[in-house]
Amino acid sequence: MTIVEAAQSLRKHAVSSAELTEAALGRIAADNPKLNAFLTVLEDSARAKAKAADSELGRGIDRGPLHGIPIAVKDVFETRGVRTTCGSALFKDNVPARDAAVVEKLAAAGAVLVGKAGMHELAYGITSNNPHFGTIRNPRDPDRIPGGSSGGSGAAVAADMVFMAMGSDTGGSIRIPASFCGTVGLKPTTGRVSRYGVMPLDFSLDHMGPLTRSARDAAVTLQAIAGFDPRDETSSQVPVGDYLPSPHCSVRDIRIGLPENFYFDRLDPDVDAAVRAMAAKAESLGARVVPVRVPDIAALNTVGRVILLAEASAVMEKYLAKRDHFGADVLALLDQGRLLSATDYVNAQRLRRMMQREFAQLWLQVDCLFTPTTPAAAPRIGETTTQFGDQKEDVRLAATRLVRGINVLGLPAISIPCANDRLGLPLGLQIIGRPFEEALVLRVAAALEDAK
Amino acid sequence: MKNWKLIAEANQLRIPTPDLERIAPALDALEAAFRPLVMTIPDDVEPAVSFYVFPESAK
């Protein structure tokens, strides 16, 4: 069941928020010991909020499609009076005095927060193999990683524990778990969703967005959380759009760019076939598929790595004397960032400006891009390299290769499940749009879902 | 390639030598990819990080 379907059932009194919430808590109780998707479960407050939602709906007070829907947020979002760890030993007892802007907005929309999802330590990695809070497992194959850093969010949605879980995405951390777990994951445009009250990994690459079971569920969530927030320096005053695709939305005459360079290099053949099949499907629905050459994405990724290393190390500088409080992989990245020069950081930001201008030219030719989200399905827990033909690639670099650059450019992008590989593991299609054109990205995604 | 150990010492970063040796290959690879890009930046390109001043800043 999706949010949109559950919302209809709630209004027909076919189900209550209390029943949906009990079902969510029941699945968490049954599966969380195996999957470790949740760090904190809020049974009592969730039951109270569900009861209040039922009462409001019974009295004709309707807060919209999220009203009474059980959800989760990644443990990077501050929650007043509820422990917020950021997956770190440094913050294992941190109880914030405020709610993040997203948490405020979800509460105002009537959503029922059932818990805080686990994550890669400090959101700085893609395995969600957390040395302090344990390994998070992929519901599609518990011997594999769920991806990260929003691994608990991806696992919670894929295991039907909640209808939606919020994630954060600095170099792919929403889209990678979406691809590996077989869910939808939306990274909005920079400035579209407030970062206020989210523990930062990075100042200029962090984005907040939902992981869901459908594109329309991502749309109704974005509708609830988007908008200007003066408490976030990067928050945009661009008006919020109407994101929910209509029931019979069309892709007719939309120009879909299919990259001729970079994005189809070094892929599992099943990924290549699955993404091209989705482009063919879109074409059969009336879209125009246009071969395009994209700017130098490898260079964009390099620039993104310099920015992330420098900014993340700046964020964590004051904690770095406590070296034993960090996992080895995160500490290695933080040390790397401290060794970069200020000159390199500024030049990375200058290259970012140049590449933003280059990419803008692409949008004269097409309305969106289709690419794979990840070059292969989820790796096994503990694997450090991914094999592509006769080449090996570091698991972390491979997983972020097709998604990291989009954070540097601040563009909206969604990952939707597009096929399973020969082992039955899910694969993701990434749809990238122009700045603030989330509505178009969601419409294309929904049309492809409808055509399944 | 840069001598990461000397840079760490000069900046008093107190990164243990084994840890430095582990991260050096990743930094070398990043340096090799990044340095040529820097040489392509036209002089008048400003960084994407901006600092804004508004009248309200005085309040």
Side-chain angles (χ1 to χ4, degrees):
Chain A
M1 187 187 284
T2 66
I3 292 173
V4 173
E5 290 164 350
Q8 290 168 350
S9 294
L10 280 167
R11 280 148 191 82
K12 289 177 186 166
H13 305 292
V15 70
S16 67
S17 175
E19 289 168 333
L20 293 175
T21 302
E22 283 305 326
L25 292 171
R27 279 191 289 273
I28 293 168
D31 292 339
N32 203 51
K34 177 178 70 179
L35 298 175
N36 196 29
F38 278 86
L39 282 174
T40 303
V41 183
L42 305 166
E43 290 102 333
D44 293 344
S45 70
R47 288 188 176 110
K49 283 174 185 163
K51 188 177 175 186
D54 285 331
S55 172
E56 285 190 341
L57 287 167
R59 287 181 283 127
I61 301 168
D62 191 334
R63 296 171 183 264
L66 287 172
H67 199 164
I69 302 294
I71 61 138
V73 297
K74 183 178 181 177
D75 209 27
V76 73
F77 290 87
E78 291 188 334
T79 39
R80 189 178 45 186
V82 175
R83 185 180 73 148
T84 302
T85 68
C86 205
S88 166
L90 292 166
F91 306 114
K92 65 183 173 58
D93 299 317
N94 173 46
V95 179
R98 63 180 183 179
D99 280 331
V102 163
V103 174
E104 288 174 352
K105 287 193 170 219
L106 290 169
V112 176
L113 181 64
V114 300
K116 308 288 296 286
M119 55 187 283
H120 200 103
E121 179 183 9
L122 294 170
Y124 208 177
I126 60 90
T127 65
S128 297
N129 191 7
N130 190 304
H132 314 295
F133 298 99
T135 298
I136 303 171
R137 295 177 181 274
N138 189 324
R140 298 291 295 266
D141 178 349
D143 290 334
R144 293 177 186 270
I145 65 169
S149 60
S150 310
S153 300
V157 172
D160 288 342
M161 292 171 167
V162 287
F163 289 83
M164 183 280 288
M166 284 298 303
S168 64
D169 189 320
T170 304
S173 286
I174 290 171
R175 291 158 288 159
I176 294 166
S179 178
F180 286 172
C181 293
T183 75
V184 170
L186 173 67
K187 183 201 84 64
T189 310
T190 301
R192 181 71 300 168
V193 175
S194 174
R195 305 167 308 158
Y196 174 79
V198 180
M199 299 169 82
L201 169 60
D202 177 291
F203 300 113
S204 66
L205 299 168
D206 287 353
H207 299 73
M208 312 305 139
L211 291 101
T212 57
R213 296 177 195 158
S214 76
R216 287 187 176 83
D217 285 1
V220 299
T221 306
L222 181 63
Q223 203 73 56
I225 62 175
F228 176 66
D229 182 353
R231 299 169 296 182
D232 176 353
E233 288 272 339
T234 64
S235 187
S236 172
Q237 301 208 44
V238 171
V240 172
D242 184 2
Y243 298 118
L244 183 61
S246 62
H248 304 290
C249 61
S250 167
V251 294
R252 183 159 296 284
D253 293 332
I254 288 178
R255 298 170 302 169
I256 295 169
L258 199 62
E260 293 181 318
N261 58 318
F262 188 81
Y263 280 105
F264 289 87
D265 300 341
R266 278 183 293 148
L267 299 182
D268 182 311
D270 290 351
V271 174
D272 187 301
V275 172
R276 292 187 193 281
M278 291 300 268
K281 179 182 276 186
E283 198 161 35
S284 75
L285 296 172
R288 288 156 51 197
V289 176
V290 182
V292 291
R293 290 198 68 78
V294 294
D296 188 346
I297 307 297
L300 192 61
N301 285 341
T302 297
V303 167
R305 288 183 62 211
V306 171
I307 293 170
L308 173 56
L309 286 169
E311 293 190 358
S313 295
V315 173
M316 297 309 297
E317 177 76 31
K318 68 180 179 182
Y319 301 107
L320 281 170
K322 300 177 179 175
R323 293 181 70 82
D324 60 343
H325 283 54
F326 296 90
D329 62 329
V330 169
L331 191 59
L333 292 170
L334 292 170
D335 283 340
Q336 288 175 52
R338 299 164 83 200
L339 287 159
L340 298 178
S341 71
T343 314
D344 286 346
Y345 174 71
V346 172
N347 278 331
Q349 292 286 11
R350 294 173 75 207
L351 286 158
R352 182 186 204 176
R353 185 74 78 199
M354 283 172 60
M355 291 171 173
Q356 183 185 35
R357 289 173 188 158
E358 286 176 27
F359 230 87
Q361 297 300 308
L362 186 67
W363 299 124
L364 300 174
Q365 303 170 53
V366 296
D367 302 306
C368 63
L369 287 175
F370 273 22
T371 79
T373 307
T374 53
R380 285 192 174 78
I381 292 167
E383 277 183 350
T384 56
T385 58
T386 305
Q387 188 85 33
F388 300 103
D390 57 357
Q391 293 183 49
K392 280 185 178 174
E393 186 173 6
D394 179 278
V395 159
R396 294 170 299 179
L397 294 179
T400 55
R401 173 164 32 102
L402 308 176
V403 287
R404 181 192 297 280
I406 304 310
N407 293 65
V408 180
L409 299 169
L411 301 171
I414 195 168
S415 179
I416 62 170
C418 64
N420 291 336
D421 73 0
R422 57 200 169 280
L423 299 176
L425 297 169
L427 305 172
L429 163 72
Q430 180 174 226
I431 306 171
I432 305 164
R434 295 191 187 97
F436 296 99
E437 291 202 354
E438 282 86 354
L440 183 135
V441 166
L442 287 160
R443 174 154 62 100
V444 174
L448 289 169
E449 285 179 355
D450 292 346
K452 271 184 183 170
Chain B
M1 282 299 157
K2 291 183 176 176
N3 186 324
W4 303 109
K5 190 176 179 192
L6 283 181
I7 293 171
E9 285 172 3
N11 287 285
Q12 298 183 322
L13 296 181
R14 296 190 178 86
I15 301 173
T17 301
D19 290 1
L20 265 174
E21 288 171 352
R22 265 196 294 276
I23 64 175
L27 283 167
D28 287 342
L30 187 63
E31 175 73 12
F34 183 65
R35 197 59 48 206
L37 297 175
V38 172
M39 299 303 152
T40 68
I41 308 174
D43 292 348
D44 62 348
V45 174
E46 297 203 8
V49 169
S50 300
F51 174 69
Y52 302 101
V53 177
F54 300 103
E56 306 87 73
S57 308
K59 292 177 185 170

